[in-house]
Amino acid sequence: MTTVPAPSWIRDAICWQVYPLGFCGAPRVRTDLGGEGYGGADGENVVHRLRRLDGWLDHLVGLGANVLLLNPIFDSVSHGYDTLEHRRLDPRLGDEDDFDALITACHARGVRVVLDGVFNHVSDSHPVARQAIAAGPGTEDGARIRWSGTSPYGFEGNADLIEIDLADSVIQDRVVEIMGRWLERGADGWRLDAMYAAGAEAWAPILERVRAAHPEAWILGEVIHGDYPAFAAASTADSITQYELWKAIWSGLRDHNLFELAHALGRHQEFLEAEGGAHPQTFVGNHDTTRIASQLTDGRDLAAAFALLALLPGIPTIYAGDEFGATGIKEERVGGDDAIRPWFPGSPEEVVAAAAAADSAPGGPHHLTLLKPDAAERILEVHRRLFSLRRREPWLVTASVRVEEDSLENTWVQIVLTPGEGDSADGVPPSPLTLVLNLGDEDRPAPGEVLEVVSGADMLDGVGPAAPGVVPAHGIAVVR
């Protein structure tokens, strides 16, 4: 299958990801769903929390980001992935006027907005699921969902999350209509949740129709394992979540095993060169994973994680709060995501005070926690510096990546980033950059002219900058 050209704007995309139900302080579970429909009081308890994001948009821009990636905002029972209706906002967040206001505010700042499309499964209370279950397998209505024998197929074993049959023509019509509806209202793209579950072949005809009307929409697919480029090419998604690299970053840094990271970087380069693999989404944490500040046993090594996120080729995504050193551990239990999807205050200036207060309304999201509150501003400044470098070197999005094998040690790696073809300005190609990670306990000489340096100790403890010309212990340097 021929790869569909990706939207031109994603070449410069840097995302800031928000889980709105938690971020905006919505109750974890709806208490207004007693009725059969949406009339009257039941299901109509609208609270305009989405506008809480307004106080954060300048922060997003100040980070160097230009894309707001939103996790679920549509009508749901609890966590947003148990959808009741894709055509309206979750009343815990607001209504269409709130959505329109957010789109207007973002676009006024040059910020694109990408929505989370949870189409693979719905709540067992969704009208489609209820009709299908009532009709049973082998019926016209029953064909809209997937079955395990005579029982509805629950997504990843969750009986309340009913998998939809995305190969069904009626379902495809509805998904195309819903995606188009919100793109026409101003959204700039979609993250397709659990895209791997239905498979590339189910999604290809849907995306073909969506793109016919919206060729500049970015399609990001969630795929955990397997051949990412092949899935992207077959489904025509523009980007795939690079979970393989995410895992190698946190475990390679935590275990001081940069050989693992080097292997994953080699795989990353293979993906970049393959059909469909040119625009992976890179990240060091998201709404489904333990926070990077909780993954690493030595907080100083966060400097390396942030540098890898900012500078490696792909479309980097900062999970809101990581830029302050937010902590949170994902647990495999009911409510196990609460700690990584916390409530945020109304503005970034209030983050440290909010974390110290540890306020959490009954039934509401978990409170925000920080690795080291007095380091939050320094961690934020490191993000700004590294993403500023990313902005000054825009070719990094499609750079090739190579590890200097002769220099590779458990705690030391030199990662060479080279401009791709066509990345020259006035016929002169940019010079390569080398990102050097030092997880050891001693400063070491930098192998070139230092353009940027981050000392993990200074970032975390404010001990002062590194000496000139070195890669600091538990730090990084970018050299040319």
Side-chain angles (χ1 to χ4, degrees):
M1 179 177 292
T2 302
T3 302
V4 177
S8 57
W9 60 267
I10 69 169
R11 179 180 173 86
D12 301 315
I14 296 173
C15 304
W16 189 62
Q17 179 185 356
V18 170
Y19 177 79
L21 289 168
F23 191 101
C24 298
R28 289 195 295 270
V29 178
R30 294 273 292 279
T31 58
D32 59 344
L33 294 175
E36 287 293 311
Y38 296 118
D42 278 320
E44 296 297 338
N45 185 24
V46 177
V47 181
H48 304 279
R49 294 183 175 94
L50 192 65
R51 300 202 182 208
R52 192 179 194 86
L53 287 170
D54 292 353
W56 287 83
L57 297 181
D58 290 337
H59 168 79
L60 180 162
V61 174
L63 273 173
N66 57 4
V67 178
L68 175 60
L69 174 56
L70 294 174
N71 286 120
I73 62 171
F74 302 118
D75 193 8
S76 69
V77 174
S78 58
H79 45 64
Y81 292 93
D82 45 3
T83 314
L84 291 168
E85 173 57 79
H86 293 90
R87 296 178 179 89
R88 76 167 197 165
L89 257 65
D90 193 303
R92 291 172 292 173
L93 293 175
D95 55 24
E96 290 189 351
D97 288 342
D98 297 306
F99 177 84
D100 293 343
L102 179 61
I103 292 291
T104 298
C106 286
H107 287 177
R109 293 168 170 83
V111 174
R112 309 254 184 182
V113 180
V114 175
L115 306 179
D116 200 347
V118 188
F119 300 114
N120 176 74
H121 47 273
V122 296
S123 165
D124 58 356
S125 296
H126 189 287
V128 169
R130 289 165 64 181
Q131 291 167 14
I133 293 168
T139 64
E140 183 177 354
D141 284 340
R144 311 291 179 240
I145 69 172
R146 296 182 61 200
W147 295 87
S148 176
T150 58
S151 299
Y153 192 93
F155 176 64
E156 296 186 347
N158 295 287
D160 61 331
L161 301 178
I162 306 302
E163 287 214 12
I164 297 296
D165 185 355
L166 287 171
D168 179 83
S169 61
V170 173
I171 293 297
Q172 291 192 353
D173 288 346
R174 293 186 184 183
V175 173
V176 170
E177 181 266 320
I178 291 164
M179 292 178 72
R181 172 191 179 94
W182 294 103
L183 290 169
E184 288 158 13
R185 207 169 182 104
D188 299 284
W190 286 93
R191 172 194 180 269
L192 298 178
D193 181 67
M195 194 180 188
Y196 57 88
E201 293 73 19
W203 276 105
I206 296 173
L207 297 185
E208 181 181 13
R209 294 169 61 187
V210 171
R211 280 208 179 83
H214 304 280
E216 281 296 292
W218 179 37
I219 305 299
L220 164 65
E222 182 191 25
V223 178
I224 311 297
H225 307 292
D227 188 336
Y228 299 152
F231 191 101
S235 66
T236 75
D238 301 306
S239 304
I240 298 295
T241 49
Q242 229 296 28
Y243 269 97
E244 188 174 306
L245 180 61
W246 159 79
K247 192 274 177 184
I249 289 175
W250 68 257
S251 62
L253 298 182
R254 185 188 66 185
D255 300 338
H256 286 187
N257 178 13
L258 293 179
F259 287 88
E260 178 186 4
L261 176 63
H263 176 76
L265 291 174
R267 291 268 295 170
H268 190 57
Q269 180 60 31
E270 292 174 4
F271 294 157
L272 295 170
E273 294 171 352
E275 181 183 4
H279 308 287
Q281 184 209 29
T282 59
F283 54 97
V284 295
N286 62 29
H287 64 294
D288 281 331
T289 68
T290 290
R291 292 270 185 178
I292 186 65
S294 294
Q295 290 278 25
L296 302 186
T297 52
D298 191 329
R300 295 174 297 176
D301 294 331
L302 284 169
F306 299 151
L308 290 164
L309 175 63
L311 302 180
L312 289 179
I315 300 175
T317 301
I318 305 163
Y319 184 43
D322 285 354
E323 71 271 30
F324 298 104
T327 56
I329 296 175
K330 178 183 175 69
E331 300 177 4
E332 298 300 329
R333 58 172 179 81
V334 175
D337 293 320
D338 292 350
I340 60 176
R341 302 173 178 179
W343 167 88
F344 279 69
S347 72
E349 291 75 24
E350 302 170 76
V351 162
V352 173
D359 290 334
S360 183
H366 196 279
H367 65 83
L368 181 67
T369 58
L370 300 177
L371 178 66
K372 194 168 186 179
D374 63 2
E377 189 62 35
R378 292 189 296 272
I379 294 172
L380 175 60
E381 182 58 27
V382 165
H383 277 80
R384 289 172 173 161
R385 284 163 48 196
L386 291 171
F387 281 98
S388 176
L389 176 59
R390 171 68 171 238
R391 286 278 178 222
R392 297 196 303 272
E393 307 283 351
W395 55 269
L396 285 168
V397 68
T398 54
S400 64
V401 57
R402 174 180 60 84
V403 170
E404 289 192 356
E405 298 289 345
D406 292 343
S407 68
L408 182 59
E409 304 171 16
N410 281 329
T411 58
W412 176 275
V413 65
Q414 296 175 199
I415 303 166
V416 180
L417 301 163
T418 304
E421 295 182 10
D423 280 323
S424 61
D426 300 324
V428 180
S431 300
L433 295 177
T434 299
L435 170 60
V436 187
L437 311 184
N438 179 9
L439 306 184
D441 294 327
E442 302 293 335
D443 296 351
R444 292 173 61 168
E449 176 192 3
V450 177
L451 303 184
E452 184 61 85
V453 62
V454 179
S455 161
D458 186 42
M459 178 183 71
L460 205 62
D461 300 316
V463 298
V470 304
V471 184
H474 298 278
I476 68 99
V478 181
V479 304
R480 172 170 279 160

